[in-house]
Amino acid sequence: MISFRNEKLKSAIIRLSAEFLNREASKQSLITVTDCEFVGDNQACTIIVSVFPPDQGKTALAFLKRKRIELRDYLRANLRAGRLPRVDFTLASGDKW
């Protein structure tokens, strides 16, 4: 059972990640944040994204991995949380790359 605090944190990370990617990503592909999964005691989170067109998935994933530190800084500046989880990205299971 996910706690109310974890649900709020998850929702905020999804929203802020989407805002960040909307501002930072090029318009060659559409990157959509679909979910966020926590690992352990909120020590790390995996942000699940979908990419259109699907053949841009590998390129988009490389871009996202390069932007992890900037996203974490953005989350730190805009999210009121005690400690931020480490951030990683993965493609949604239906996306092929």
Side-chain angles (χ1 to χ4, degrees):
M1 178 102 183
I2 190 165
S3 71
F4 178 71
R5 179 188 174 282
N6 287 350
E7 188 63 37
K8 279 182 62 174
L9 181 61
K10 177 181 176 177
S11 176
I13 287 175
I14 290 172
R15 181 179 51 82
L16 290 171
S17 298
E19 289 174 9
F20 176 80
L21 292 176
N22 185 36
R23 196 178 70 238
E24 295 291 323
S26 69
K27 302 306 177 198
Q28 294 177 359
S29 61
L30 176 65
I31 302 173
T32 306
V33 177
T34 59
D35 200 7
C36 173
E37 295 178 351
F38 290 108
V39 178
D41 188 25
N42 294 351
Q43 295 176 4
C45 73
T46 301
I47 298 173
I48 302 169
V49 298
S50 63
V51 179
F52 184 81
D55 62 331
Q56 293 288 322
K58 193 172 186 178
T59 306
L61 197 57
F63 164 77
L64 294 170
K65 293 204 182 262
R66 282 195 314 269
K67 291 290 186 175
R68 278 188 291 204
I69 295 172
E70 292 177 37
L71 173 62
R72 195 159 197 277
D73 291 341
Y74 183 77
L75 291 174
R76 184 176 292 124
N78 293 291
L79 186 65
R80 292 179 11 172
R83 63 176 183 189
L84 288 176
R86 289 186 317 271
V87 176
D88 197 14
F89 292 96
T90 189
L91 291 176
S93 60
D95 291 349
K96 299 176 184 170
W97 54 283

